[in-house]
CSV table of all heavy atoms in Angstrom, one decimal:
chain,number,residue,atom,x,y,z
B,176,VAL,N,-23.0,4.0,-23.2
B,176,VAL,CA,-21.7,3.7,-22.6
B,176,VAL,C,-21.8,3.5,-21.1
B,176,VAL,O,-21.3,2.6,-20.5
B,176,VAL,CB,-20.7,4.9,-22.9
B,176,VAL,CG1,-19.5,4.7,-22.0
B,176,VAL,CG2,-20.3,4.8,-24.4
B,177,SER,N,-22.6,4.4,-20.4
B,177,SER,CA,-22.8,4.3,-19.0
B,177,SER,C,-23.5,3.0,-18.6
B,177,SER,O,-23.1,2.3,-17.7
B,177,SER,CB,-23.5,5.5,-18.4
B,177,SER,OG,-24.8,5.6,-19.0
B,178,ALA,N,-24.6,2.6,-19.4
B,178,ALA,CA,-25.3,1.4,-19.1
B,178,ALA,C,-24.4,0.2,-19.3
B,178,ALA,O,-24.4,-0.7,-18.5
B,178,ALA,CB,-26.5,1.3,-20.0
B,179,SER,N,-23.6,0.2,-20.4
B,179,SER,CA,-22.6,-0.9,-20.6
B,179,SER,C,-21.6,-1.0,-19.5
B,179,SER,O,-21.3,-2.1,-19.0
B,179,SER,CB,-21.9,-0.7,-21.9
B,179,SER,OG,-21.0,-1.7,-22.2
B,180,SER,N,-21.1,0.2,-19.0
B,180,SER,CA,-20.1,0.2,-18.0
B,180,SER,C,-20.6,-0.3,-16.6
B,180,SER,O,-19.9,-1.0,-15.9
B,180,SER,CB,-19.5,1.6,-17.8
B,180,SER,OG,-18.8,2.0,-19.0
B,181,PHE,N,-21.9,0.0,-16.3
B,181,PHE,CA,-22.5,-0.5,-15.1
B,181,PHE,C,-22.6,-2.0,-15.1
B,181,PHE,O,-22.3,-2.7,-14.1
B,181,PHE,CB,-23.8,0.1,-14.8
B,181,PHE,CG,-23.8,1.5,-14.2
B,181,PHE,CD1,-24.3,2.6,-14.9
B,181,PHE,CD2,-23.3,1.7,-13.0
B,181,PHE,CE1,-24.3,3.9,-14.3
B,181,PHE,CE2,-23.2,3.0,-12.4
B,181,PHE,CZ,-23.8,4.0,-13.1
B,182,PHE,N,-23.0,-2.6,-16.2
B,182,PHE,CA,-23.0,-4.0,-16.4
B,182,PHE,C,-21.6,-4.6,-16.3
B,182,PHE,O,-21.4,-5.7,-15.7
B,182,PHE,CB,-23.7,-4.4,-17.7
B,182,PHE,CG,-25.1,-4.6,-17.6
B,182,PHE,CD1,-26.0,-4.3,-18.6
B,182,PHE,CD2,-25.7,-5.2,-16.4
B,182,PHE,CE1,-27.4,-4.5,-18.5
B,182,PHE,CE2,-27.1,-5.4,-16.3
B,182,PHE,CZ,-27.9,-5.0,-17.4
B,183,THR,N,-20.6,-3.9,-16.9
B,183,THR,CA,-19.2,-4.4,-16.8
B,183,THR,C,-18.8,-4.4,-15.3
B,183,THR,O,-18.1,-5.4,-14.9
B,183,THR,CB,-18.3,-3.4,-17.6
B,183,THR,OG1,-18.7,-3.5,-19.0
B,183,THR,CG2,-16.8,-3.9,-17.5
B,184,PHE,N,-19.1,-3.4,-14.6
B,184,PHE,CA,-18.7,-3.4,-13.1
B,184,PHE,C,-19.3,-4.6,-12.4
B,184,PHE,O,-18.7,-5.2,-11.6
B,184,PHE,CB,-19.3,-2.1,-12.5
B,184,PHE,CG,-18.4,-0.9,-12.6
B,184,PHE,CD1,-18.9,0.4,-12.7
B,184,PHE,CD2,-17.0,-1.0,-12.5
B,184,PHE,CE1,-18.1,1.5,-12.8
B,184,PHE,CE2,-16.2,0.0,-12.6
B,184,PHE,CZ,-16.7,1.3,-12.8
B,185,PHE,N,-20.6,-4.9,-12.7
B,185,PHE,CA,-21.3,-6.0,-12.1
B,185,PHE,C,-20.5,-7.3,-12.5
B,185,PHE,O,-20.2,-8.2,-11.7
B,185,PHE,CB,-22.7,-6.1,-12.6
B,185,PHE,CG,-23.4,-7.4,-12.1
B,185,PHE,CD1,-23.9,-7.5,-10.8
B,185,PHE,CD2,-23.6,-8.4,-13.0
B,185,PHE,CE1,-24.6,-8.6,-10.4
B,185,PHE,CE2,-24.2,-9.6,-12.6
B,185,PHE,CZ,-24.7,-9.7,-11.3
B,186,ASN,N,-20.2,-7.5,-13.8
B,186,ASN,CA,-19.5,-8.7,-14.3
B,186,ASN,C,-18.2,-8.9,-13.6
B,186,ASN,O,-17.8,-10.0,-13.2
B,186,ASN,CB,-19.4,-8.7,-15.8
B,186,ASN,CG,-20.7,-9.0,-16.5
B,186,ASN,OD1,-21.5,-9.7,-16.0
B,186,ASN,ND2,-20.9,-8.3,-17.6
B,187,TRP,N,-17.4,-7.8,-13.5
B,187,TRP,CA,-16.1,-7.8,-12.9
B,187,TRP,C,-16.2,-8.2,-11.4
B,187,TRP,O,-15.3,-8.9,-10.9
B,187,TRP,CB,-15.4,-6.5,-13.1
B,187,TRP,CG,-14.9,-6.3,-14.6
B,187,TRP,CD1,-15.2,-7.1,-15.6
B,187,TRP,CD2,-14.1,-5.2,-15.0
B,187,TRP,NE1,-14.6,-6.6,-16.8
B,187,TRP,CE2,-13.9,-5.5,-16.4
B,187,TRP,CE3,-13.5,-4.1,-14.5
B,187,TRP,CZ2,-13.2,-4.6,-17.2
B,187,TRP,CZ3,-12.7,-3.3,-15.3
B,187,TRP,CH2,-12.6,-3.5,-16.6
B,188,PHE,N,-17.2,-7.6,-10.8
B,188,PHE,CA,-17.3,-7.9,-9.3
B,188,PHE,C,-17.6,-9.4,-9.1
B,188,PHE,O,-17.0,-10.0,-8.2
B,188,PHE,CB,-18.5,-7.1,-8.8
B,188,PHE,CG,-18.5,-7.1,-7.3
B,188,PHE,CD1,-17.9,-6.1,-6.5
B,188,PHE,CD2,-19.3,-8.0,-6.6
B,188,PHE,CE1,-17.9,-6.1,-5.1
B,188,PHE,CE2,-19.3,-8.0,-5.2
B,188,PHE,CZ,-18.6,-7.1,-4.5
B,189,ILE,N,-18.4,-10.0,-10.0
B,189,ILE,CA,-18.7,-11.4,-9.9
B,189,ILE,C,-17.5,-12.3,-10.2
B,189,ILE,O,-17.2,-13.3,-9.6
B,189,ILE,CB,-19.9,-11.8,-10.8
B,189,ILE,CG1,-21.2,-11.1,-10.4
B,189,ILE,CG2,-20.2,-13.3,-10.7
B,189,ILE,CD1,-21.6,-11.3,-8.9
B,190,MET,N,-16.7,-11.8,-11.2
B,190,MET,CA,-15.5,-12.5,-11.6
B,190,MET,C,-14.5,-12.6,-10.4
B,190,MET,O,-13.9,-13.6,-10.1
B,190,MET,CB,-14.8,-11.9,-12.8
B,190,MET,CG,-15.6,-12.1,-14.1
B,190,MET,SD,-14.8,-11.1,-15.4
B,190,MET,CE,-16.1,-11.3,-16.7
B,191,LEU,N,-14.4,-11.4,-9.7
B,191,LEU,CA,-13.5,-11.3,-8.6
B,191,LEU,C,-14.0,-12.2,-7.4
B,191,LEU,O,-13.2,-12.8,-6.7
B,191,LEU,CB,-13.3,-9.9,-8.1
B,191,LEU,CG,-12.6,-9.0,-9.1
B,191,LEU,CD1,-12.7,-7.5,-8.7
B,191,LEU,CD2,-11.1,-9.4,-9.2
B,192,THR,N,-15.3,-12.2,-7.2
B,192,THR,CA,-15.9,-13.0,-6.1
B,192,THR,C,-15.7,-14.5,-6.4
B,192,THR,O,-15.3,-15.2,-5.5
B,192,THR,CB,-17.4,-12.7,-6.0
B,192,THR,OG1,-17.7,-11.4,-5.8
B,192,THR,CG2,-18.1,-13.6,-4.9
B,193,THR,N,-15.8,-14.9,-7.7
B,193,THR,CA,-15.6,-16.3,-8.1
B,193,THR,C,-14.2,-16.7,-7.8
B,193,THR,O,-13.9,-17.8,-7.3
B,193,THR,CB,-15.9,-16.4,-9.6
B,193,THR,OG1,-17.3,-16.1,-9.8
B,193,THR,CG2,-15.7,-17.9,-10.0
B,194,PHE,N,-13.2,-15.7,-8.1
B,194,PHE,CA,-11.8,-16.0,-7.8
B,194,PHE,C,-11.5,-16.2,-6.3
B,194,PHE,O,-10.8,-17.1,-5.9
B,194,PHE,CB,-11.0,-14.8,-8.4
B,194,PHE,CG,-9.5,-14.9,-7.9
B,194,PHE,CD1,-8.6,-15.8,-8.3
B,194,PHE,CD2,-9.1,-13.9,-7.0
B,194,PHE,CE1,-7.3,-15.8,-7.9
B,194,PHE,CE2,-7.8,-13.9,-6.5
B,194,PHE,CZ,-6.9,-14.8,-7.0
B,195,LEU,N,-12.1,-15.4,-5.5
B,195,LEU,CA,-11.9,-15.5,-4.0
B,195,LEU,C,-12.5,-16.9,-3.5
B,195,LEU,O,-11.8,-17.5,-2.7
B,195,LEU,CB,-12.6,-14.4,-3.3
B,195,LEU,CG,-12.0,-13.0,-3.5
B,195,LEU,CD1,-12.8,-11.9,-2.8
B,195,LEU,CD2,-10.5,-13.0,-2.9
B,196,VAL,N,-13.6,-17.3,-4.0
B,196,VAL,CA,-14.2,-18.6,-3.6
B,196,VAL,C,-13.3,-19.7,-4.1
B,196,VAL,O,-13.0,-20.7,-3.4
B,196,VAL,CB,-15.6,-18.8,-4.1
B,196,VAL,CG1,-16.2,-20.1,-3.8
B,196,VAL,CG2,-16.5,-17.7,-3.6
B,197,TRP,N,-12.8,-19.6,-5.4
B,197,TRP,CA,-11.9,-20.6,-5.9
B,197,TRP,C,-10.6,-20.7,-5.1
B,197,TRP,O,-10.1,-21.8,-4.8
B,197,TRP,CB,-11.6,-20.2,-7.4
B,197,TRP,CG,-10.5,-21.1,-8.0
B,197,TRP,CD1,-10.8,-22.3,-8.7
B,197,TRP,CD2,-9.1,-21.0,-7.9
B,197,TRP,NE1,-9.6,-22.8,-9.1
B,197,TRP,CE2,-8.5,-22.1,-8.6
B,197,TRP,CE3,-8.3,-20.1,-7.3
B,197,TRP,CZ2,-7.2,-22.2,-8.8
B,197,TRP,CZ3,-6.9,-20.2,-7.5
B,197,TRP,CH2,-6.3,-21.3,-8.2
B,198,ARG,N,-10.1,-19.5,-4.7
B,198,ARG,CA,-8.8,-19.5,-4.0
B,198,ARG,C,-9.0,-20.2,-2.6
B,198,ARG,O,-8.0,-20.9,-2.2
B,198,ARG,CB,-8.4,-18.0,-3.7
B,198,ARG,CG,-7.1,-17.8,-3.0
B,198,ARG,CD,-6.8,-16.3,-2.8
B,198,ARG,NE,-5.6,-16.2,-2.0
B,198,ARG,CZ,-5.6,-16.2,-0.7
B,198,ARG,NH1,-6.7,-16.3,-0.1
B,198,ARG,NH2,-4.4,-16.0,-0.1
B,199,ARG,N,-10.1,-20.0,-1.9
B,199,ARG,CA,-10.3,-20.7,-0.6
B,199,ARG,C,-10.3,-22.2,-0.8
B,199,ARG,O,-9.9,-22.9,0.1
B,199,ARG,CB,-11.6,-20.2,0.0
B,199,ARG,CG,-11.5,-18.8,0.6
B,199,ARG,CD,-12.7,-18.6,1.6
B,199,ARG,NE,-14.0,-18.6,1.0
B,199,ARG,CZ,-14.6,-17.5,0.5
B,199,ARG,NH1,-14.0,-16.4,0.5
B,199,ARG,NH2,-15.8,-17.6,-0.1
B,200,LYS,N,-10.7,-22.7,-1.9
B,200,LYS,CA,-10.8,-24.2,-2.2
B,200,LYS,C,-9.6,-24.7,-2.8
B,200,LYS,O,-9.4,-26.0,-2.9
B,200,LYS,CB,-12.0,-24.5,-3.0
B,200,LYS,CG,-13.3,-24.1,-2.3
B,200,LYS,CD,-14.5,-24.5,-3.2
B,200,LYS,CE,-15.8,-24.1,-2.5
B,200,LYS,NZ,-17.0,-24.5,-3.3
B,201,ASN,N,-8.7,-23.8,-3.4
B,201,ASN,CA,-7.5,-24.3,-4.1
B,201,ASN,C,-6.3,-23.5,-3.7
B,201,ASN,O,-5.7,-22.7,-4.5
B,201,ASN,CB,-7.8,-24.2,-5.6
B,201,ASN,CG,-9.0,-25.0,-6.1
B,201,ASN,OD1,-8.9,-26.1,-6.4
B,201,ASN,ND2,-10.1,-24.3,-6.2
B,202,ARG,N,-5.9,-23.6,-2.5
B,202,ARG,CA,-4.8,-22.7,-2.0
B,202,ARG,C,-3.4,-23.0,-2.6
B,202,ARG,O,-2.5,-22.2,-2.5
B,202,ARG,CB,-4.7,-22.8,-0.5
B,202,ARG,CG,-6.0,-22.2,0.2
B,202,ARG,CD,-5.8,-22.0,1.7
B,202,ARG,NE,-6.9,-21.3,2.3
B,202,ARG,CZ,-7.0,-20.0,2.4
B,202,ARG,NH1,-6.0,-19.3,1.9
B,202,ARG,NH2,-8.1,-19.5,3.0
B,203,ASN,N,-3.2,-24.2,-3.0
B,203,ASN,CA,-1.9,-24.6,-3.5
B,203,ASN,C,-1.7,-24.6,-5.0
B,203,ASN,O,-0.7,-25.1,-5.5
B,203,ASN,CB,-1.5,-26.0,-3.0
B,203,ASN,CG,-1.5,-26.1,-1.4
B,203,ASN,OD1,-1.0,-25.1,-0.8
B,203,ASN,ND2,-2.0,-27.1,-0.8
B,204,LYS,N,-2.7,-24.1,-5.7
B,204,LYS,CA,-2.6,-24.0,-7.2
B,204,LYS,C,-2.1,-22.7,-7.7
B,204,LYS,O,-2.0,-21.7,-7.0
B,204,LYS,CB,-4.0,-24.3,-7.8
B,204,LYS,CG,-4.4,-25.8,-7.5
B,204,LYS,CD,-5.7,-26.1,-8.3
B,204,LYS,CE,-6.1,-27.6,-8.1
B,204,LYS,NZ,-7.3,-27.9,-8.8
B,205,HIS,N,-1.7,-22.8,-9.0
B,205,HIS,CA,-1.1,-21.6,-9.6
B,205,HIS,C,-2.1,-20.4,-9.7
B,205,HIS,O,-3.3,-20.6,-10.0
B,205,HIS,CB,-0.7,-21.9,-11.0
B,205,HIS,CG,-0.2,-20.7,-11.9
B,205,HIS,ND1,1.0,-20.1,-11.7
B,205,HIS,CD2,-0.9,-20.0,-12.8
B,205,HIS,CE1,1.1,-19.1,-12.5
B,205,HIS,NE2,-0.1,-19.0,-13.2
B,206,ILE,N,-1.6,-19.2,-9.3
B,206,ILE,CA,-2.4,-18.0,-9.4
B,206,ILE,C,-1.7,-17.0,-10.3
B,206,ILE,O,-0.5,-16.9,-10.2
B,206,ILE,CB,-2.6,-17.4,-8.0
B,206,ILE,CG1,-3.5,-18.3,-7.1
B,206,ILE,CG2,-3.3,-16.0,-8.1
B,206,ILE,CD1,-3.7,-17.8,-5.7
B,207,SER,N,-2.4,-16.4,-11.2
B,207,SER,CA,-1.9,-15.5,-12.2
B,207,SER,C,-1.1,-14.4,-11.6
B,207,SER,O,-1.4,-13.9,-10.5
B,207,SER,CB,-3.0,-14.9,-13.1
B,207,SER,OG,-2.5,-13.9,-13.9
B,208,TRP,N,0.0,-14.0,-12.3
B,208,TRP,CA,0.9,-12.9,-11.9
B,208,TRP,C,0.1,-11.6,-11.8
B,208,TRP,O,0.3,-10.8,-11.0
B,208,TRP,CB,2.0,-12.7,-12.8
B,208,TRP,CG,2.8,-13.9,-13.1
B,208,TRP,CD1,3.1,-15.0,-12.2
B,208,TRP,CD2,3.4,-14.3,-14.4
B,208,TRP,NE1,3.9,-15.9,-12.9
B,208,TRP,CE2,4.0,-15.6,-14.2
B,208,TRP,CE3,3.4,-13.8,-15.7
B,208,TRP,CZ2,4.7,-16.2,-15.3
B,208,TRP,CZ3,4.0,-14.4,-16.7
B,208,TRP,CH2,4.6,-15.6,-16.5
B,209,LEU,N,-1.0,-11.5,-12.6
B,209,LEU,CA,-1.7,-10.3,-12.7
B,209,LEU,C,-2.6,-10.1,-11.4
B,209,LEU,O,-3.1,-9.0,-11.2
B,209,LEU,CB,-2.6,-10.2,-13.9
B,209,LEU,CG,-1.8,-10.0,-15.3
B,209,LEU,CD1,-2.7,-10.3,-16.4
B,209,LEU,CD2,-1.3,-8.6,-15.3
B,210,ALA,N,-2.8,-11.1,-10.7
B,210,ALA,CA,-3.6,-11.0,-9.4
B,210,ALA,C,-2.6,-10.7,-8.3
B,210,ALA,O,-2.9,-11.1,-7.1
B,210,ALA,CB,-4.3,-12.3,-9.2
B,211,PHE,N,-1.6,-9.9,-8.6
B,211,PHE,CA,-0.6,-9.6,-7.5
B,211,PHE,C,-1.2,-9.0,-6.3
B,211,PHE,O,-2.1,-8.2,-6.4
B,211,PHE,CB,0.5,-8.7,-8.1
B,211,PHE,CG,-0.1,-7.4,-8.7
B,211,PHE,CD1,-0.2,-6.3,-7.8
B,211,PHE,CD2,-0.4,-7.3,-10.0
B,211,PHE,CE1,-0.7,-5.1,-8.3
B,211,PHE,CE2,-0.9,-6.1,-10.5
B,211,PHE,CZ,-1.1,-5.0,-9.6
B,212,GLY,N,-0.7,-9.4,-5.2
B,212,GLY,CA,-1.2,-8.8,-3.9
B,212,GLY,C,-2.5,-9.4,-3.4
B,212,GLY,O,-3.1,-9.0,-2.4
B,213,HIS,N,-2.9,-10.5,-4.0
B,213,HIS,CA,-4.2,-11.2,-3.6
B,213,HIS,C,-4.0,-11.8,-2.2
B,213,HIS,O,-2.9,-12.1,-1.8
B,213,HIS,CB,-4.5,-12.3,-4.6
B,213,HIS,CG,-3.5,-13.4,-4.6
B,213,HIS,ND1,-3.5,-14.5,-3.7
B,213,HIS,CD2,-2.4,-13.6,-5.4
B,213,HIS,CE1,-2.4,-15.3,-4.0
B,213,HIS,NE2,-1.8,-14.8,-5.0
B,214,PRO,N,-5.0,-11.9,-1.4
B,214,PRO,CA,-6.4,-11.4,-1.7
B,214,PRO,C,-6.7,-10.0,-1.4
B,214,PRO,O,-7.8,-9.5,-1.6
B,214,PRO,CB,-7.2,-12.4,-0.8
B,214,PRO,CG,-6.4,-12.5,0.4
B,214,PRO,CD,-5.0,-12.6,-0.1
B,215,VAL,N,-5.7,-9.3,-0.7
B,215,VAL,CA,-5.9,-7.9,-0.3
B,215,VAL,C,-6.2,-7.0,-1.5
B,215,VAL,O,-7.2,-6.2,-1.5
B,215,VAL,CB,-4.7,-7.4,0.4
B,215,VAL,CG1,-4.9,-5.9,0.7
B,215,VAL,CG2,-4.5,-8.1,1.7
B,216,SER,N,-5.4,-7.2,-2.6
B,216,SER,CA,-5.6,-6.4,-3.8
B,216,SER,C,-7.0,-6.7,-4.4
B,216,SER,O,-7.6,-5.8,-5.0
B,216,SER,CB,-4.5,-6.7,-4.8
B,216,SER,OG,-4.5,-8.0,-5.2
């Protein structure tokens, strides 16, 4: 479980990084409601 969760942390961190890079290049496009408070959140 711990090994799986550490990899999950890594995957989620990359997903969030990808979103931030996408956001800088696509400022006027739809952003999911679940990303509320972005980019601070």
Side-chain angles (χ1 to χ4, degrees):
V176 168
S177 62
S179 176
S180 296
F181 278 119
F182 269 144
T183 297
F184 275 144
F185 173 81
N186 286 325
W187 287 7
F188 193 90
I189 299 302
M190 290 175 190
L191 293 169
T192 302
T193 301
F194 167 69
L195 290 174
V196 177
W197 175 92
R198 182 180 175 277
R199 284 199 295 269
K200 297 181 178 180
N201 302 274
R202 291 189 175 275
N203 297 321
K204 292 189 175 180
H205 171 77
I206 294 180
S207 171
W208 308 322
L209 288 168
F211 59 89
H213 63 85
V215 175
S216 60

